[in-house]
Amino acid sequence: MAARLVPVLKFVIKGGLAGGAVYVVYDQGLLGSGTQGAEAFRKAQAALPPAIQEWISYTGWEVRAVQPYNHIPPIPKLEFSPSDSWNKGVRMVMSALSVAPTRACEYTAEGWKYVKDLIK
């Protein structure tokens, strides 16, 4: 009986973790618009340094450096805008698609010229 219960229990635990992850993502607004995602990213940027500092003090870890200072280096500021990156990618794809027919004609002409030169 216990052998049959283990796979079901694993499935329930994995399903609960996956469902919880989807709920957290939805609750934080990451499945919404780009502005909601950017706002969630700003919240994470603001909350991360204090959370790391609290975790380090909770675990009792210290940074023992050879230098005269004994502190953790500051966490770098991330200047990243998901909406700007997405828009840049869309612009690049659209630009490539707009010149694709012209480039295809150019490459075809070059190919035919190369084949004609080989035949001569």
Side-chain angles (χ1 to χ4, degrees):
M1 177 112 185
R4 293 182 185 175
L5 187 61
V6 171
V8 173
L9 189 60
K10 284 183 180 180
F11 177 75
V12 169
I13 290 171
K14 288 178 183 179
L17 289 173
V22 170
Y23 173 75
V24 168
V25 167
Y26 175 76
D27 187 48
Q28 293 298 318
L30 296 176
L31 296 178
S33 67
T35 56
Q36 289 176 331
E39 181 61 32
F41 184 69
R42 279 192 287 282
K43 282 188 217 174
Q45 276 183 320
L48 192 60
I52 291 174
Q53 199 67 27
E54 180 181 341
W55 180 74
I56 288 173
S57 66
Y58 176 73
T59 58
W61 288 359
E62 294 180 21
V63 176
R64 291 184 175 87
V66 178
Q67 291 87 7
Y69 57 91
N70 279 340
H71 70 294
I72 297 173
I75 295 175
K77 297 286 183 186
L78 299 176
E79 298 297 328
F80 175 74
S81 172
S83 60
D84 288 344
S85 298
W86 174 262
N87 292 340
K88 183 178 177 184
V90 169
R91 279 190 225 106
M92 288 176 60
V93 168
M94 290 301 141
S95 173
L97 288 175
S98 68
V99 298
T102 306
R103 293 286 163 90
C105 290
E106 291 172 4
Y107 293 149
T108 304
E110 288 177 17
W112 277 114
K113 183 180 175 195
Y114 178 75
V115 170
K116 286 179 184 177
D117 290 342
L118 285 178
I119 294 174
K120 288 183 185 179

